[in-house]
Amino acid sequence: MVQTASLMLDLGTSAPDFSLPDADGKIWHLADLAAQKPLLVIFLCNHCPYVIHIRAKLADVTRQFMARGVAVVGINANDADRYPLDSPEKMKEEILLAGYAFPYLYDESQAVAQTYRAACTPDFFLFDRHHRLVYRGQFDGSRPKNTEPVTGKDLVAALEAVLIDAPQIADQYPSLGCNIKWKEGNEPDYS
C-alpha cells in the first residue's frame, strides 16, 4: 500500500463522461445518473484499509443524500488481475457487506480513472447540477491509524451546500488513501 493524496482537480471542471459496467455487467453512463442533479463520483475499491475504515459511514451518508436527490456512483479502477480482491465478483460481495445503495462500476481499462485524474481510494468528486466540479477532497479527517471519529463531515458539508446551490468552502483538503493499482504500463503521467 502506498499512501497517496488526491490531486485536487481544478474546480469548475466538467464531469467527464463514462460508460462502465457494474459487477453484474449492466452498462452505466454519466447521463443515466446526472440529469440535472448533483453527482458524486467516488473512486474506491474493496481491499483498501482507508475505504474499509469509512465504508459503513460512507454507505449511510450516500444513502441519505441519494434520497435527497444526489446521484452517486462508485468506480473501482484497480487492476483485478494483480489484486483479485478487487474483481467484479468481489465487488458484488462488497456491495452487500458495506451496504452500498449506489451503482458500483468497474473501470477495467482504467481510462475513466485517468480522465478524472483519480489518484487514490477513496477519491471524491462532487459536481453541481450543471456537472461542474465543486468539491474534491476528503470524506473527513479520520484515518485508519488516528483517533478522529469517522463522521464524513467534510463531504457532508459539500453535499449540503451543493443541494442549495450555496458556495463551497474555500479550504478543501485532499483525500488520502491507497494509490490506485495501475496495470503495468498503464500508469498515468500524474501518478
Side-chain angles (χ1 to χ4, degrees), residues 15 30 33-34 37-41 70-73 116 125-128:
L30 176 68
L33 298 160
K37 62 168 73 173
L39 170 68
L40 175 62
V41 177
V70 176
V72 179
V73 63
Y116 277 77
F125 300 84
L126 178 61
F127 299 88
D128 66 12

Side-chain angles (χ1 to χ4, degrees), residues 66-105:
M66 288 170 70
R68 295 175 61 192
V70 176
V72 179
V73 63
I75 300 175
N76 171 11
N78 276 359
D79 178 359
D81 290 335
R82 289 189 314 147
Y83 297 87
L85 289 176
D86 290 328
S87 71
E89 283 302 314
K90 293 295 185 180
M91 288 168 60
K92 290 180 190 180
E93 294 174 18
E94 182 67 9
I95 290 166
L96 296 174
L97 181 65
Y100 297 146
F102 51 80
Y104 188 17
L105 313 181

Side-chain angles (χ1 to χ4, degrees), residues 26 38 54 60 62 76 102 117 121 136:
K26 178 184 176 186
I54 67 165
D60 290 340
T62 54
N76 171 11
F102 51 80
R117 298 185 62 82
T121 56
R136 73 294 190 244

Side-chain angles (χ1 to χ4, degrees), residues 169-188:
I169 56 168
D171 294 332
Q172 296 183 11
Y173 301 100
S175 187
L176 189 65
C178 298
N179 64 308
I180 289 180
K181 307 305 187 240
W182 302 106
K183 294 178 180 183
E184 188 174 330
N186 208 26
E187 301 86 357

Side-chain angles (χ1 to χ4, degrees), residues 24-55:
D24 291 317
K26 178 184 176 186
I27 303 297
W28 291 80
H29 306 272
L30 176 68
D32 297 330
L33 298 160
Q36 297 301 310
K37 62 168 73 173
L39 170 68
L40 175 62
V41 177
I42 311 164
F43 286 87
L44 69 163
C45 69
N46 305 335
H47 85 277
C48 172
Y50 291 86
V51 174
I52 292 168
H53 180 70
I54 67 165
R55 72 178 168 197

